[in-house]
């Protein structure tokens, strides 16, 4: 599959790009600026090696959205609506995975608190913005830190909570995410569960600060994962 990461030039996008490559997927780094996307691809090549990074391309967000089979959104909350509007015409029924966390820090507050989103969660807001495009919206990657994703020589080592209304799309995403080293994707149910998934992240950021780490993540126990 071709995974297009929109706003893929930040830490979360770069980390996910590396892990998608490890999961044998093709990756497109999208950006508002083609030069910035190209720089990000060069950074990944330097970081993990040219041979390992042979399946990455750089594009503008619009071209990436048109070329990708699955779209992944990794922009701050304040850029979410504008980015989605800019690519809406290219969505055409594709899976769109939204990693957005509505952190207060995006509006000048604390990263250990969430802002309330009118629609209930950032992922539900994405669904509203993309209404009419046929997008199958999923929330995922909200609780996995970029530090764990970028640390490519080690397993990510935490669960990936995922929510969405389209069962087939969730299954496709889960099959790919389960190939990330040390990650189990957990289907949490309909998209409205993103309200809870997104709110775990400021808790994890607070724990990272308290315990002086960048790797805080979660693992759910007691589930029959077959
Ligand atoms: N970092 C983490 O550990 C982590 C963990 C879980 C979830 N998340 C979530 O993942 C998302 C991305 O996180 P990040 O740390 O990678 O964010 P980031 O570095 O602040 O931003 C990612 C990219 O978004 C684009 N962007 C930034 N401001 C924009 C604006 N005003 N308008 C349009 N595009 C803009 C930029 O891409 P271009 O300039 O190239 O267009 C930027 O490189 C956030 O919603 C965050 O809450 C992050």
């Amino acid at each position: 599959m071709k995974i297009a990461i929109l706003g893929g030039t930040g830490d979360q996008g770069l980390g996910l790009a590396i892990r998608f490559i490890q999961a044998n997927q093709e990756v497109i780094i999208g950006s508002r600026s083609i030069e910035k996307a190209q720089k990000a691809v060069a950074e990944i090549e330097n970081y993990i090696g040219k041979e390992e990074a042979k399946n990455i391309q750089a594009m503008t967000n619009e071209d990436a959205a048109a070329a990708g089979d699955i779209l992944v959104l990794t922009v701050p909350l304040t850029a979410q609506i504008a980015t989605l509007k800019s690519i809406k015409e290219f969505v055409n029924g594709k899976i769109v995975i939204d990693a957005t966390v509505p952190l207060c820090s995006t509006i000048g507050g604390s990263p250990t608190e969430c802002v309330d989103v009118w629609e209930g969660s950032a992922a539900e807001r994405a669904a509203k913005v993309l209404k009419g495009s046929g997008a199958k919206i999923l929330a995922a990657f909200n609780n996995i830190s970029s530090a764990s994703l970028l640390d490519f020589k080690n397993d990510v080592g935490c669960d990936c909570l995922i929510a969405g209304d389209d069962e087939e799309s969730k299954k496709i995403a889960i099959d790919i995410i389960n190939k990330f080293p040390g990650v189990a994707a957990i289907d949490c149910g309909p998209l409205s569960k993103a309200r809870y998934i997104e709110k775990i992240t400021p808790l994890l950021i607070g724990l990272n600060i308290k315990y002086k780490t960048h790797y805080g993540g979660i693992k759910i126990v007691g589930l029959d994962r077959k």
Side-chain angles (χ1 to χ4, degrees):
M1 290 259 188
K2 265 197 182 149
I3 316 285
I5 307 180
L6 311 173
T9 52
D11 281 350
Q12 194 69 352
L14 295 176
L16 284 171
I18 290 169
R19 298 303 187 166
F20 277 120
I21 287 163
Q22 289 181 335
N24 293 319
Q25 308 301 310
E26 290 176 52
V27 170
I28 304 167
I29 298 285
S31 168
R32 287 167 294 177
S33 138
I34 183 65
E35 291 80 14
K36 195 170 168 187
Q38 285 162 342
K39 202 166 157 236
V41 167
E43 250 176 63
I44 295 177
E45 286 172 351
N46 272 335
Y47 188 53
I48 65 171
K50 267 209 160 109
E51 183 53 27
E52 190 70 15
K54 62 180 183 297
N55 283 328
I56 312 189
Q57 286 172 276
M59 292 187 192
T60 61
N61 283 331
E62 291 84 350
D63 288 348
D69 302 310
I70 294 179
L71 315 184
V72 178
L73 184 69
T74 55
V75 299
L77 181 75
T78 44
Q80 187 202 27
I81 291 180
T83 307
L84 289 174
K85 280 186 175 167
S86 75
I87 56 93
K88 184 171 179 176
E89 65 184 288
F90 306 108
V91 170
N92 207 12
K94 293 175 189 173
I95 297 172
V96 179
I97 306 180
D98 190 359
T100 308
V101 180
L103 295 177
C104 279
S105 51
T106 60
I107 52 163
S110 165
T112 63
E113 291 163 8
C114 266
V115 289
D116 285 335
V117 177
W118 178 258
E119 293 78 6
S121 63
E124 289 167 283
R125 189 163 87 155
K128 187 173 164 188
V129 177
L130 292 181
K131 201 165 183 234
S133 70
K136 316 285 192 311
I137 310 285
L138 306 176
F141 307 124
N142 313 78
N143 311 134
I144 305 184
S145 74
S146 57
S148 304
L149 293 168
L150 288 164
D151 187 11
F152 71 99
K153 289 185 181 158
N154 292 304
D155 284 4
V156 181
C158 65
D159 288 340
C160 178
L161 304 187
I162 177 164
D165 294 332
D166 187 74
E167 296 302 324
E168 184 55 31
S169 304
K170 248 187 315 196
K171 196 177 166 316
I172 292 168
I174 286 171
D175 283 348
I176 296 174
I177 296 167
N178 279 338
K179 292 187 182 129
F180 286 20
V183 174
I186 299 186
D187 182 356
C188 296
L191 194 66
S192 57
K193 297 293 179 189
R195 296 171 188 203
Y196 308 112
I197 295 173
E198 292 172 10
K199 288 204 164 69
I200 293 170
T201 308
L203 177 70
L204 292 173
I205 293 171
L207 290 171
N208 278 342
I209 294 168
K210 182 169 158 69
Y211 291 92
K212 299 183 174 39
T213 179
H214 297 287
Y215 293 88
I218 57 164
K219 262 186 192 278
I220 311 286
V221 299
L223 305 180
D224 178 359
R225 295 172 182 239
K226 273 175 275 171

